[in-house]
Amino acid sequence: MAKIRVVHYLNQFFAGVGGEEKAGTPPVSRDGPVGPGKAFQEVLGQRGEIVGTVFCGDNYFHEDLERTKREVLDLIAGYRPDVLVAGPAFSAGRYGLACAHVCLDAVQRLKIPAVGGQHPDNPGVGLCRSQVYIVVTGETTAGMRQAITTMAELAWKLAMRKTLGTPEVEGYLPRGVRRNVFVGEDGAERAVKMLLQKIRGELFTTELPLPTVDAVKPPLAVKDLKEAVVALVTESGIVPKGNPDHLESAQASKWIKYDIRGKADLTGEEFMSAHGGYDNRFGNEDPDRLVPLDVMRELEQEGRFKQLLNHYYVTVGNCTSVESGRQYGKEIATELLAQGVQAVVLTGT
Amino acid sequence: MERAGIPGVLITALPDLAQRVGANRIVAGVRMPHPVGDPSLPLEKERALRRRIVETALKALQTEVGEPTVFIVAKSGP
């Protein structure tokens, strides 16, 4: 590969078309670099060429997402790139999400690597970070030069299939990939060393960063439970016997809802556990031990709440990523809201 | 779901973990493979225990909380 072929994705603003008033601009392509792409080209020098720039208005992109993604991908594919670069989008939300969608399509459909540049809080990060290399940027364009240099180097290495260093060294957000490395000291020695550093109040770098969790403000309590529709939701993998919809025992790819109208409880004849993370014997014997339908029906008949929702919602939490969990929660919430649900009883294993 | 504004209560045998990851209303369940049941009990007693757990969950849903809070199930029935 003499020179790598790069396509650059921008929004209408960075492409120089205009601001908010031009946010309805449909996708367009131009040969060669545009706007910040010129700085990219400088960093790449003789190693590569920005063969084309594709840009789209921030509003147009999201108005009909599937249509826009197709249009943008077609324009990108026309240039037969070795790598896609998108942004940097800094903390711009619509732009960041658009970059994330375009990068994911490049990875999944064109099978080429993609590099973004975003502030870690940009919503685009959550959408694509496991599959896209996102260079960490500041919140504003003040860090443009630095971001572009890091992104260009990374794009070149990826297109040349070079071995990458750690995210800290290369400047991108960790994708959640673990790689084995050889080090001089064994685990016990390293752990004791870190402990001593911690006791002495010195800085140390953990080898196992705990995932950061986003706090959700507690919603207000249910005012009048007697008038409330309540739903049962579970990550315990309780499904109809035989698992007809093939819910995965780990790393679930979906959630499913099952009709419980007219059922007084969940019996082992009709239901089973598809979860791969705990001993299923007890749940297979009596699934009420995981989804307490029998007691919920009893309380419903006693008028403790108005009605139990006609379906229960299930997924499997076993090794399922927080990102997926968040997505399933959001989708289930949309359904629950549409059905007037005011409270959820969720069982977890 | 809570982000969408629907209060939820999580029944789990790992309430400390649930608290650490930020579930807001938590009820301590029995054991991981059977959070709302106990196969070592006779059926009637198991069902009474399940009822106490779910009743605690309903109580949690009606209680205002400011931070992740664990609700403990009473040892024997009302």
Side-chain angles (χ1 to χ4, degrees):
Chain A
M1 197 185 294
K3 255 185 177 187
I4 62 162
R5 295 172 65 85
V6 183
V7 167
H8 190 196
Y9 178 81
L10 293 170
N11 69 355
Q12 89 285 353
F13 176 75
F14 285 97
V17 173
E20 250 348 276
E21 78 285 359
K22 296 286 186 190
T25 307
V28 184
S29 69
R30 296 253 186 284
D31 294 345
V34 172
K38 291 175 181 151
F40 266 111
Q41 186 59 64
E42 267 177 47
V43 177
L44 285 173
Q46 291 304 308
R47 295 179 294 169
E49 192 183 345
I50 296 196
V51 287
T53 304
V54 176
F55 57 87
C56 174
D58 279 335
N59 288 347
Y60 182 94
F61 194 99
H62 299 282
E63 272 156 17
D64 184 345
L65 190 59
E66 290 309 314
R67 173 201 62 190
T68 320
K69 280 165 60 178
R70 260 196 323 273
E71 292 171 353
V72 169
L73 196 69
D74 284 346
L75 292 172
I76 294 171
Y79 286 106
R80 293 175 293 107
D82 301 311
V83 59
L84 175 82
V85 171
F90 306 101
S91 61
R94 282 171 302 171
Y95 186 21
L97 278 171
C99 286
H101 281 296
V102 174
C103 286
L104 279 178
D105 268 359
V107 172
Q108 291 168 355
R109 291 167 192 256
L110 301 182
K111 313 286 180 203
I112 58 170
V115 178
Q118 303 195 10
H119 184 268
D121 291 341
N122 194 310
V125 170
L127 189 67
C128 72
R129 72 178 293 175
S130 62
Q131 292 178 67
V132 173
Y133 293 86
I134 305 172
V135 167
V136 187
T137 74
E139 287 185 59
T140 68
T141 53
M144 180 68 96
R145 186 77 214 186
Q146 180 58 49
I148 284 176
T149 307
T150 313
M151 287 168 73
E153 293 299 337
L154 197 54
W156 180 76
K157 282 184 188 167
L158 287 166
M160 297 295 289
R161 298 173 198 277
K162 303 259 180 211
T163 309
L164 295 186
T166 61
E168 293 75 30
V169 170
E170 304 286 353
Y172 64 87
L173 285 166
R175 296 171 307 145
V177 174
R178 277 187 202 168
R179 214 169 264 146
N180 291 327
V181 291
F182 287 103
V183 289
E185 295 168 308
D186 67 26
E189 289 171 307
R190 302 201 303 281
V192 170
K193 197 183 249 177
M194 270 190 258
L195 180 62
L196 291 174
Q197 284 172 319
K198 185 172 182 174
I199 291 168
R200 287 196 293 263
E202 293 168 7
L203 283 177
F204 65 95
T205 309
T206 175
E207 292 178 17
L208 192 67
L210 292 173
T212 49
V213 289
D214 51 346
V216 180
K217 204 172 151 242
L220 291 177
V222 185
K223 284 252 152 28
D224 190 1
L225 196 63
K226 285 191 165 52
E227 288 304 311
V229 178
V230 181
L232 278 170
V233 181
T234 187
E235 71 69 40
S236 63
I238 295 295
V239 294
K241 208 153 189 184
N243 191 10
D245 299 299
H246 311 289
L247 181 61
E248 296 87 348
S249 61
Q251 293 172 313
S253 70
K254 60 190 167 213
W255 54 268
I256 309 170
K257 61 179 168 183
Y258 289 112
D259 200 323
I260 44 174
R261 263 175 296 187
K263 286 195 196 305
D265 74 330
L266 298 180
T267 64
E269 281 79 52
E270 277 187 281
F271 289 86
M272 62 172 265
S273 167
H275 197 290
Y278 62 84
D279 187 343
N280 303 133
R281 277 178 300 164
F282 316 105
N284 288 340
E285 213 172 84
D286 183 359
D288 288 307
R289 288 169 176 155
L290 289 135
V291 178
L293 180 62
D294 55 353
V295 167
M296 286 297 279
R297 281 279 183 243
E298 208 172 271
L299 294 164
E300 180 188 37
Q301 267 150 28
E302 290 169 21
R304 296 283 290 277
F305 51 89
K306 190 172 141 200
Q307 195 205 325
L308 180 64
L309 191 71
N310 288 333
H311 296 84
Y312 78 93
Y313 289 76
V314 58
T315 185
V316 160
N318 186 25
C319 296
T320 301
S321 75
V322 175
E323 237 168 77
S324 303
R326 199 178 288 136
Q327 180 66 26
Y328 305 159
K330 201 170 145 186
E331 291 165 1
I332 293 171
T334 307
E335 290 226 349
L336 297 183
L337 283 174
Q339 297 171 92
V341 170
Q342 283 129 303
V344 169
V345 174
L346 195 154
T347 47
T349 54
Chain B
M1 291 184 273
E2 293 206 315
R3 189 163 275 140
I6 313 171
V9 54
L10 173 62
I11 306 176
T12 171
L14 302 171
D16 294 351
L17 183 66
Q19 197 169 26
R20 220 160 42 229
V21 300
N24 285 310
R25 292 176 174 88
I26 304 157
V27 169
V30 182
R31 278 192 59 229
M32 219 169 71
H34 43 80
V36 285
D38 187 345
S40 71
L41 295 175
L43 196 63
E44 279 312 301
K45 285 197 165 162
E46 183 183 14
R47 201 172 155 124
L49 169 67
R50 176 150 60 244
R51 185 170 164 123
R52 289 203 303 281
I53 297 171
V54 174
E55 281 183 325
T56 309
L58 295 186
K59 192 182 86 191
L61 284 169
Q62 297 172 85
T63 309
E64 299 295 354
V65 300
E67 57 184 7
T69 306
V70 178
F71 295 78
I72 305 289
V73 180
K75 279 271 178 279
S76 58

